[in-house]
Amino acid sequence: MTTDLAKLSARWVDWFKDSALPLWSGAAINPESGASYERFLASGEVDKAANIRLRVQARQIFVFSVASERGWMAGGEPVVSAMADFVERIGVHESGEGYIHLLSPSYEVLDSKQDLYDHAFALLACALRYRVFKEDSALVRADKLIAMLDSRFGGVGGGWLEGDYATDRRRQNPHMHLFEAFLALYDATGEAKWLARAGEMFALFETRFYDGKYGVLREYFNEDWSLLDGADGEIVEPGHMMEWVWLLHWYGKRSGRDTSGYADTLYETALASGLTPEGLLYDEVSPEGKVLKGSKRCWPMTELIKASIAQARVGRAGAEAQAAKAVEVLLDRYLSCAKRDGTYIDQLDSNNEVLVDFAPASTLYHLIVAAMEVADYVKESEA
């Protein structure tokens, strides 16, 4: 392991402990409701006028749970408990099953739709609440949520529909995060039913999402899982490809399946078509590698880091160096240049200038998972 990666990891963990976690568990939370605000503005002030997405509450429950587990923050349990209580008190759908999508700043329901992507993170939050704090109610809720998805949103050819609303497409993205949630639930409980559910998502990846011709991950589909026609059907996201590399390694370790061929191909293709000379990742490319969207979000960098660490663990040449480079780029271009310490830049444009300068709470989930992966790899390498 390189000394640079160890130093970068220590710097990143210190950023979480000293700046990010105190800020997001303090000023970013409404003390009256226990709910997380949606974002910080470029000025460094909390955006109290922004609408509240229920998925953000679930992601922040995840963040503060794993931070507590790591010893990166003190007093995490009451923060998580209050946020979970808020979700159950305000966010439950009028049917009594699952959650709504969007609240106003004063917590009035703006959009009551039930969205598959939102519920993937609700399941992930359940897994971590049980794993870290042994909240039995979280497992009860997880069982109810998956029963609801099965009964109401089961789709043709496997997986689930986007939700209880009309749409012209199905997406791999919610299923990718369900894959993650199922693996987390399996790790938390040891119950084979969750690993079996993860196997269903792996089957969708093999048969629908993965395009062997180009070695890429497809994003948008028709109801029968045939590829969506038109320009949207040609969108490939290097960040999601990297995210799948990490998930495939995780699933392979738990299931005994050899997923290395898929992981290697996705990783190399994403590097070849998505990586800029500066070490950033494009938001969107075509299957042939043409840049479709030259902007660069913060979160794909975290997925590049996670994928590189996963590849380094199995001895892939150059992966550790790629991880170190990506951590350095993330820290310097997205974190260190934010006006308020503990926040970050969300997106750069095609010229690598700041395009979106506010800091969404939803990104903290990506950042902490990647930071944990790097810290674990450093610890394993030094043992």
Coordinates of all heavy atoms in Angstrom, one line a residue, residues 40-92:
F40 N -27.0 22.6 2.2 CA -26.3 23.8 2.5 C -26.2 24.6 1.3 O -25.9 24.1 0.2 CB -25.0 23.6 3.2 CG -25.0 23.3 4.6 CD1 -25.0 21.9 5.0 CD2 -25.0 24.3 5.6 CE1 -25.0 21.6 6.4 CE2 -25.0 23.9 6.9 CZ -25.0 22.6 7.3
L41 N -26.4 26.0 1.4 CA -26.2 26.8 0.2 C -24.7 27.1 0.0 O -23.9 26.8 0.9 CB -26.9 28.2 0.4 CG -28.4 28.0 0.5 CD1 -29.0 29.3 1.0 CD2 -29.0 27.6 -0.8
A42 N -24.3 27.7 -1.1 CA -22.9 28.0 -1.4 C -22.3 29.0 -0.3 O -21.2 28.9 0.0 CB -22.8 28.7 -2.7
S43 N -23.2 29.8 0.3 CA -22.8 30.7 1.3 C -22.4 30.0 2.6 O -21.7 30.6 3.5 CB -23.9 31.7 1.7 OG -25.0 31.0 2.2
G44 N -22.7 28.7 2.7 CA -22.5 27.9 3.9 C -23.6 27.9 4.9 O -23.6 27.3 6.0
E45 N -24.7 28.6 4.5 CA -25.9 28.6 5.4 C -26.8 27.4 5.0 O -26.9 27.0 3.9 CB -26.7 29.9 5.2 CG -25.9 31.1 5.6 CD -25.4 31.1 7.1 OE1 -26.3 30.8 7.9 OE2 -24.2 31.3 7.3
V46 N -27.6 27.0 6.0 CA -28.6 25.9 5.7 C -29.7 26.5 4.9 O -30.2 27.6 5.1 CB -29.2 25.4 7.1 CG1 -30.3 24.4 6.8 CG2 -28.1 24.7 7.9
D47 N -30.1 25.7 3.9 CA -31.2 26.1 3.0 C -32.5 25.6 3.7 O -33.0 24.5 3.4 CB -31.1 25.5 1.6 CG -32.1 26.1 0.7 OD1 -33.0 26.8 1.1 OD2 -32.1 25.7 -0.5
K48 N -33.1 26.5 4.5 CA -34.3 26.1 5.2 C -35.6 26.2 4.4 O -36.6 25.8 4.8 CB -34.5 27.0 6.5 CG -33.4 26.7 7.5 CD -33.6 27.5 8.8 CE -32.5 27.2 9.8 NZ -32.6 28.0 11.1
A49 N -35.4 26.8 3.2 CA -36.5 27.0 2.2 C -36.7 25.8 1.3 O -37.6 25.8 0.5 CB -36.4 28.3 1.5
A50 N -35.8 24.9 1.3 CA -35.8 23.8 0.3 C -36.8 22.7 0.8 O -37.0 22.5 2.0 CB -34.4 23.1 0.2
N51 N -37.5 22.1 -0.2 CA -38.4 21.0 0.1 C -37.6 19.8 0.6 O -36.4 19.7 0.4 CB -39.1 20.6 -1.2 CG -40.1 21.7 -1.6 OD1 -40.6 22.5 -0.8 ND2 -40.3 21.8 -2.9
I52 N -38.3 18.9 1.3 CA -37.7 17.8 2.0 C -38.0 16.5 1.3 O -39.2 16.1 1.2 CB -38.1 17.7 3.5 CG1 -37.9 19.1 4.2 CG2 -37.4 16.6 4.2 CD1 -36.4 19.5 4.3
R53 N -37.0 15.8 0.8 CA -37.2 14.4 0.3 C -37.1 13.4 1.4 O -36.1 13.4 2.1 CB -36.2 14.2 -0.8 CG -36.3 15.1 -2.1 CD -35.2 14.8 -3.1 NE -33.9 15.3 -2.5 CZ -32.8 15.0 -3.1 NH1 -32.7 14.3 -4.2 NH2 -31.6 15.4 -2.5
L54 N -38.0 12.4 1.4 CA -37.9 11.4 2.4 C -36.7 10.5 2.2 O -36.2 10.0 3.2 CB -39.2 10.5 2.4 CG -40.4 11.0 3.3 CD1 -40.0 10.8 4.8 CD2 -40.8 12.4 3.1
R55 N -36.2 10.4 1.0 CA -35.0 9.5 0.8 C -33.8 10.1 1.5 O -32.9 9.4 1.9 CB -34.7 9.4 -0.7 CG -34.1 10.5 -1.4 CD -33.7 10.3 -2.8 NE -34.9 10.0 -3.6 CZ -34.9 10.3 -4.9 NH1 -33.9 10.8 -5.5 NH2 -36.0 10.0 -5.7
V56 N -33.8 11.5 1.6 CA -32.7 12.1 2.3 C -32.7 11.8 3.8 O -31.6 11.5 4.4 CB -32.7 13.6 2.1 CG1 -31.8 14.4 3.0 CG2 -32.4 14.0 0.7
Q57 N -33.8 11.7 4.4 CA -33.9 11.3 5.8 C -33.3 9.9 6.0 O -32.6 9.6 6.9 CB -35.3 11.3 6.3 CG -36.0 12.7 6.1 CD -35.3 13.9 6.6 OE1 -34.8 13.9 7.8 NE2 -35.1 14.9 5.8
A58 N -33.7 9.0 5.0 CA -33.2 7.6 5.1 C -31.7 7.6 4.9 O -30.9 6.8 5.6 CB -33.9 6.7 4.0
R59 N -31.1 8.3 4.0 CA -29.7 8.4 3.8 C -29.0 8.9 5.0 O -27.9 8.4 5.4 CB -29.4 9.2 2.6 CG -29.7 8.5 1.2 CD -29.1 9.3 0.1 NE -29.3 8.7 -1.2 CZ -28.6 8.9 -2.3 NH1 -27.6 9.7 -2.3 NH2 -28.9 8.3 -3.4
Q60 N -29.5 9.9 5.6 CA -28.9 10.5 6.8 C -28.9 9.5 8.0 O -28.0 9.5 8.8 CB -29.5 11.9 7.2 CG -29.2 12.9 6.1 CD -27.8 13.2 5.8 OE1 -27.1 12.4 5.1 NE2 -27.3 14.3 6.3
I61 N -30.0 8.8 8.1 CA -30.1 7.7 9.1 C -28.9 6.7 8.9 O -28.2 6.3 9.9 CB -31.4 7.0 9.1 CG1 -32.5 7.9 9.7 CG2 -31.4 5.7 9.9 CD1 -33.9 7.4 9.5
F62 N -28.7 6.4 7.7 CA -27.6 5.5 7.3 C -26.3 6.1 7.8 O -25.4 5.5 8.4 CB -27.6 5.2 5.8 CG -26.4 4.5 5.4 CD1 -26.4 3.1 5.3 CD2 -25.2 5.2 5.0 CE1 -25.2 2.4 4.8 CE2 -24.1 4.5 4.5 CZ -24.1 3.1 4.5
V63 N -26.0 7.4 7.4 CA -24.8 8.1 7.7 C -24.5 8.1 9.1 O -23.4 7.7 9.6 CB -24.8 9.5 7.1 CG1 -23.6 10.3 7.6 CG2 -24.7 9.5 5.6
F64 N -25.4 8.5 9.9 CA -25.2 8.7 11.4 C -25.1 7.3 12.1 O -24.4 7.2 13.1 CB -26.2 9.6 12.0 CG -26.3 11.0 11.4 CD1 -27.5 11.6 11.0 CD2 -25.1 11.7 11.2 CE1 -27.5 12.8 10.5 CE2 -25.1 12.9 10.6 CZ -26.3 13.5 10.2
S65 N -25.7 6.3 11.5 CA -25.6 5.0 12.1 C -24.2 4.4 11.9 O -23.6 4.0 12.8 CB -26.6 4.0 11.4 OG -28.0 4.4 11.7
V66 N -23.7 4.5 10.6 CA -22.4 3.9 10.4 C -21.3 4.8 11.1 O -20.3 4.3 11.5 CB -22.1 3.8 8.9 CG1 -23.0 2.7 8.3 CG2 -22.1 5.1 8.1
A67 N -21.5 6.1 11.2 CA -20.5 7.0 11.8 C -20.5 6.6 13.3 O -19.4 6.6 13.9 CB -20.9 8.4 11.7
S68 N -21.6 6.3 13.9 CA -21.7 5.8 15.3 C -20.9 4.5 15.5 O -20.2 4.3 16.4 CB -23.1 5.7 15.8 OG -23.8 7.0 15.8
E69 N -21.2 3.6 14.6 CA -20.6 2.3 14.6 C -19.0 2.4 14.5 O -18.3 1.7 15.2 CB -21.1 1.5 13.5 CG -20.6 0.0 13.4 CD -21.2 -0.7 12.3 OE1 -21.3 -0.2 11.1 OE2 -21.7 -1.9 12.5
R70 N -18.6 3.3 13.8 CA -17.1 3.5 13.6 C -16.5 4.3 14.7 O -15.2 4.3 14.8 CB -16.9 4.3 12.3 CG -17.2 3.6 11.0 CD -16.0 2.8 10.5 NE -16.4 1.8 9.6 CZ -15.5 1.3 8.7 NH1 -14.3 1.8 8.7 NH2 -15.9 0.4 7.9
G71 N -17.3 4.9 15.5 CA -16.7 5.8 16.6 C -16.3 7.2 16.0 O -15.5 7.9 16.6
W72 N -16.8 7.5 14.8 CA -16.5 8.8 14.2 C -17.3 9.9 14.7 O -17.0 11.1 14.5 CB -16.7 8.7 12.7 CG -15.6 7.8 12.0 CD1 -14.7 7.1 12.6 CD2 -15.5 7.6 10.6 NE1 -13.9 6.4 11.7 CE2 -14.4 6.7 10.4 CE3 -16.2 8.1 9.5 CZ2 -14.0 6.3 9.2 CZ3 -15.8 7.7 8.2 CH2 -14.7 6.8 8.0
M73 N -18.4 9.6 15.5 CA -19.2 10.7 16.1 C -19.8 10.1 17.4 O -20.0 8.9 17.5 CB -20.3 11.1 15.2 CG -21.4 10.1 14.9 SD -22.8 10.8 13.9 CE -23.6 11.9 15.0
A74 N -20.0 11.0 18.3 CA -20.6 10.7 19.6 C -22.1 11.1 19.5 O -22.4 12.1 18.8 CB -19.9 11.3 20.8
G75 N -22.9 10.4 20.3 CA -24.3 10.8 20.4 C -25.1 10.6 19.1 O -26.1 11.3 18.8
G76 N -24.7 9.6 18.3 CA -25.4 9.3 17.1 C -26.8 8.7 17.3 O -27.7 8.9 16.5
E77 N -26.9 7.8 18.3 CA -28.2 7.1 18.5 C -29.4 8.0 18.6 O -30.4 7.8 18.0 CB -28.1 6.1 19.6 CG -29.3 5.2 19.7 CD -29.1 4.0 20.7 OE1 -28.0 4.0 21.3 OE2 -30.0 3.1 20.7
P78 N -29.4 9.0 19.5 CA -30.5 9.9 19.6 C -30.8 10.6 18.3 O -32.0 10.9 18.0 CB -30.2 10.8 20.8 CG -28.7 10.7 21.0 CD -28.4 9.3 20.5
V79 N -29.8 11.0 17.6 CA -30.0 11.7 16.3 C -30.8 10.8 15.3 O -31.7 11.1 14.7 CB -28.7 12.1 15.7 CG1 -28.9 12.7 14.3 CG2 -28.0 13.2 16.6
V80 N -30.3 9.5 15.2 CA -30.9 8.5 14.4 C -32.4 8.2 14.8 O -33.3 8.2 14.0 CB -30.1 7.2 14.3 CG1 -30.9 6.1 13.7 CG2 -28.8 7.5 13.6
S81 N -32.5 8.1 16.1 CA -33.9 7.7 16.6 C -34.9 8.9 16.4 O -36.0 8.6 15.9 CB -33.8 7.5 18.2 OG -35.0 7.2 18.7
A82 N -34.4 10.1 16.6 CA -35.4 11.2 16.3 C -35.7 11.3 14.8 O -36.9 11.6 14.5 CB -34.7 12.5 16.8
M83 N -34.7 11.1 14.0 CA -35.0 11.2 12.5 C -35.9 10.0 12.1 O -36.8 10.2 11.3 CB -33.7 11.1 11.8 CG -33.7 11.7 10.4 SD -32.1 11.8 9.6 CE -31.4 13.2 10.6
A84 N -35.7 8.8 12.6 CA -36.6 7.7 12.3 C -38.0 8.0 12.8 O -39.0 7.6 12.1 CB -36.0 6.4 12.9
D85 N -38.1 8.5 14.0 CA -39.4 8.9 14.5 C -40.1 9.9 13.6 O -41.3 9.8 13.3 CB -39.3 9.4 15.9 CG -39.0 8.4 16.9 OD1 -39.1 7.2 16.6 OD2 -38.6 8.7 18.0
F86 N -39.4 10.9 13.1 CA -39.9 11.9 12.2 C -40.5 11.2 10.9 O -41.6 11.5 10.5 CB -38.9 12.9 11.8 CG -39.3 13.8 10.7 CD1 -40.1 14.9 10.9 CD2 -38.9 13.5 9.4 CE1 -40.5 15.7 9.9 CE2 -39.2 14.3 8.3 CZ -40.0 15.4 8.6
V87 N -39.7 10.3 10.4 CA -40.1 9.6 9.1 C -41.4 8.8 9.4 O -42.4 8.9 8.6 CB -39.0 8.7 8.6 CG1 -39.5 7.8 7.5 CG2 -37.8 9.5 8.2
E88 N -41.5 8.1 10.5 CA -42.7 7.3 10.8 C -43.9 8.2 11.1 O -45.0 7.9 10.9 CB -42.4 6.4 11.9 CG -41.4 5.3 11.6 CD -41.8 4.4 10.4 OE1 -43.0 4.1 10.3 OE2 -40.9 4.1 9.6
R89 N -43.6 9.4 11.7 CA -44.7 10.3 12.1 C -45.2 11.1 10.9 O -46.5 11.3 10.8 CB -44.2 11.2 13.2 CG -45.2 12.1 13.9 CD -44.7 12.9 15.0 NE -43.7 13.9 14.6 CZ -42.4 13.8 14.8 NH1 -41.9 12.8 15.3 NH2 -41.6 14.8 14.4
I90 N -44.4 11.5 10.1 CA -44.7 12.5 9.0 C -44.7 11.9 7.6 O -45.5 12.2 6.8 CB -43.8 13.7 9.0 CG1 -43.8 14.4 10.4 CG2 -44.2 14.7 7.9 CD1 -45.1 15.0 10.8
G91 N -43.9 10.9 7.4 CA -43.6 10.4 6.1 C -44.4 9.2 5.6 O -44.3 8.8 4.4
V92 N -45.1 8.5 6.5 CA -45.8 7.3 6.1 C -47.0 7.7 5.1 O -47.7 8.6 5.3 CB -46.4 6.6 7.3 CG1 -47.3 5.4 6.9 CG2 -45.2 6.1 8.2

